């Protein structure tokens, strides 16, 4: 494990989800996560978040790993697959159950939408849960028997906000919108739980990710606290958006690394383009991630969402 010169152990991670091809937007976030840790002499881990059921496509894990390597990113040790850690997630849920921090919930999404007192108010994963099942069932078994449904497990949120300091965005109010799911109805872990259990177990100290995950951070901080685990420091960076200002997606054209590579874009050309999108190099530069380490400075990153697509790469 690398120890940076100041003696503080620094561990970051790349956590791709193999639900689609790696595109410009997530490649840029992974590059920043890699640079911010490697530039300080830290350790980088690779964790593949492959438990999103039907959205995970066969062969996508290998393709994602190959894309990251082609881009010039590396990591320490073997990749960890979330699908191999289901017993760890179940153990964490067991702890939360034993401490009465979670309760069974049988509500469907449409029931939650109908019951929400302020339907316009949303959490990061849909309408704010109105608390229908809080205190409703004596146990998970009782919830099954009484309703004939397999329940999800929800975390009992006991405050409105969890303020925290974001390494890029500064102080955050950290609003928590309602009780949230930690175990889905099919028994699988929710994203919030898996990511907390993994980051803690892997000793991750620094999380850098896109700011679409900013609203889930207070929930994760509550889970760290409830599980008695030390939280990492969080750094949320702006997303790459298309010319229309909306999050980069298929309608903006194909920006997958594989497609760009097939069009003849070289890895150093792409590396330079990503560096340009990070405010680290002028447009048209060619460079590898390693060449960016020397003068990497997160403060050069634009504060607003960055407009970027394949234009300029294929010229
Ligand atoms: Zn419910």
């Amino acid at each position: 494990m690398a120890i940076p010169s100041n003696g503080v152990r620094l561990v970051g991670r790349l956590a791709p989800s193999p639900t689609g091809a790696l595109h410009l937007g997530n490649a840029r976030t992974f590059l920043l996560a890699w640079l911010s840790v490697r530039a300080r002499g830290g350790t980088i881990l690779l964790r593949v978040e492959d438990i999103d059921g039907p959205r995970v496509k066969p062969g996508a894990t290998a393709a994602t790993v190959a894309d990251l390597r082609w881009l010039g990113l590396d990591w320490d040790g073997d990749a960890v697959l979330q699908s191999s850690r289901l017993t760890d997630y179940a153990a964490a849920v067991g702890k939360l159950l034993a401490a009465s921090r979670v309760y069974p919930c049988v509500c469907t999404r449409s029931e939650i939408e109908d019951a929400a007192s302020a339907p316009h108010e949303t959490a990061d994963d849909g309408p704010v849960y109105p608390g229908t099942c809080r205190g409703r069932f004596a146990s998970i078994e009782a919830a099954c028997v009484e309703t004939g449904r397999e329940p999800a497990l929800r975390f009992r949120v006991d405050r409105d906000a969890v303020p925290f300091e974001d390494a890029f965005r500064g102080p955050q109010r950290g609003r928590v919108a309602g009780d949230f799911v930690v175990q889905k109805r099919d028994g699988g872990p929710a994203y919030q739980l898996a990511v907390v259990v993994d980051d803690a177990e892997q000793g991750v100290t620094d999380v850098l990710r896109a700011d679409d995950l900013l609203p889930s951070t207070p929930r994760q901080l509550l889970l760290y606290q409830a599980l008695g685990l030390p939280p990492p420091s969080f750094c949320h960076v702006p997303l790459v958006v298309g010319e229309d200002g909306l999050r980069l997606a298929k309608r903006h054209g194909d920006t997958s690394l594989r497609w760009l590579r097939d069009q003849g874009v070289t890895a150093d050309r792409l590396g330079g383009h990503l560096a340009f999108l990070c405010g680290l190099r002028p447009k048209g530069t060619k460079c590898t991630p390693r060449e960016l380490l020397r003068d990497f400075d997160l403060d050069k990153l634009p504060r607003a969402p960055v407009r970027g697509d394949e234009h300029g790469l294929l010229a």
Side-chain angles (χ1 to χ4, degrees):
M1 192 84 38
I3 308 285
S5 51
N6 62 3
V8 179
R9 187 165 159 272
L10 175 65
V11 182
R13 42 67 159 188
L14 308 175
S17 179
T19 49
L22 203 64
H23 62 68
L24 275 186
N26 41 34
R28 172 177 170 275
T29 306
F30 292 136
L31 173 65
L32 284 169
W34 185 90
L35 285 169
S36 77
V37 169
R38 286 290 197 227
R40 292 177 286 161
T43 298
I44 281 277
L45 306 174
L46 176 66
R47 178 172 76 233
V48 182
E49 305 199 329
D50 62 341
I51 50 172
D52 202 358
R55 291 181 60 220
V56 175
K57 300 181 177 68
T61 295
T64 301
V65 170
D67 282 347
L68 292 170
R69 281 197 206 285
W70 178 73
L71 182 58
L73 302 183
D74 64 354
W75 46 90
D76 303 292
D78 294 332
V80 169
L81 302 184
Q82 283 194 323
S83 54
S84 70
R85 297 186 27 76
L86 297 177
T87 52
D88 299 78
Y89 308 137
V93 169
K95 266 192 193 174
L96 296 173
L97 256 179
S100 302
R101 295 306 305 267
V102 294
Y103 60 88
C105 167
V106 294
C107 300
T108 62
R109 193 182 173 94
S110 63
E111 283 170 345
I112 294 171
E113 273 161 15
D114 292 346
S117 55
H120 56 278
E121 204 195 3
T122 55
D124 50 317
D125 57 351
V128 173
Y129 183 67
T132 318
C133 299
R134 253 199 195 217
R136 182 174 166 195
F137 305 109
S139 64
I140 296 176
E141 295 70 33
C144 288
V145 172
E146 288 172 37
T147 67
R149 296 181 187 175
E150 284 297 329
L153 294 178
R154 262 181 207 278
F155 187 84
R156 200 184 293 273
V157 174
D158 55 3
R159 68 202 80 176
D160 295 333
V162 186
F164 67 98
E165 183 74 18
D166 187 90
F168 186 71
R169 301 170 58 115
Q172 300 295 307
R173 199 182 143 245
R175 174 176 166 269
V176 195
D179 296 349
F180 58 92
V181 170
V182 296
Q183 182 173 287
K184 297 185 272 190
R185 300 174 75 168
D186 64 8
Y191 167 77
Q192 314 287 2
L193 181 97
V195 76
V196 163
V197 170
D198 286 340
D199 280 338
E201 163 112 5
Q202 295 186 282
V204 171
T205 61
D206 286 58
V207 171
L208 184 152
R209 57 192 183 189
D211 59 11
D212 56 334
L213 286 168
L214 188 67
S216 71
T217 306
R219 295 176 166 194
Q220 290 168 23
L221 287 168
L222 286 175
L223 287 175
Y224 278 104
Q225 201 176 59
L227 291 166
L229 300 169
S233 102
F234 288 99
C235 181
H236 291 90
V237 299
L239 285 170
V240 177
V241 296
E243 290 300 318
D244 53 4
L246 296 172
R247 180 183 178 153
L248 206 56
K250 285 222 173 81
R251 68 179 168 279
H252 300 109
D254 196 339
T255 66
S256 73
L257 267 52
R258 200 169 325 156
W259 186 78
L260 292 168
R261 195 168 54 212
D262 289 348
Q263 305 308 305
V265 175
T266 56
D268 60 352
R269 183 107 180 270
L270 181 69
H273 188 65
L274 294 176
F276 163 68
L277 293 178
C278 295
L280 300 172
R281 290 290 184 275
K283 195 163 187 156
T285 309
K286 286 184 182 179
C287 64
T288 63
R290 206 154 280 285
E291 287 163 347
L292 295 167
L293 285 173
R294 177 173 45 86
D295 59 345
F296 176 69
D297 181 0
L298 196 61
D299 285 339
K300 291 180 186 160
L301 193 68
R303 296 269 144 188
V306 181
R307 279 169 202 257
D309 52 26
E310 81 279 20
H311 299 305
L313 261 176
L314 299 179

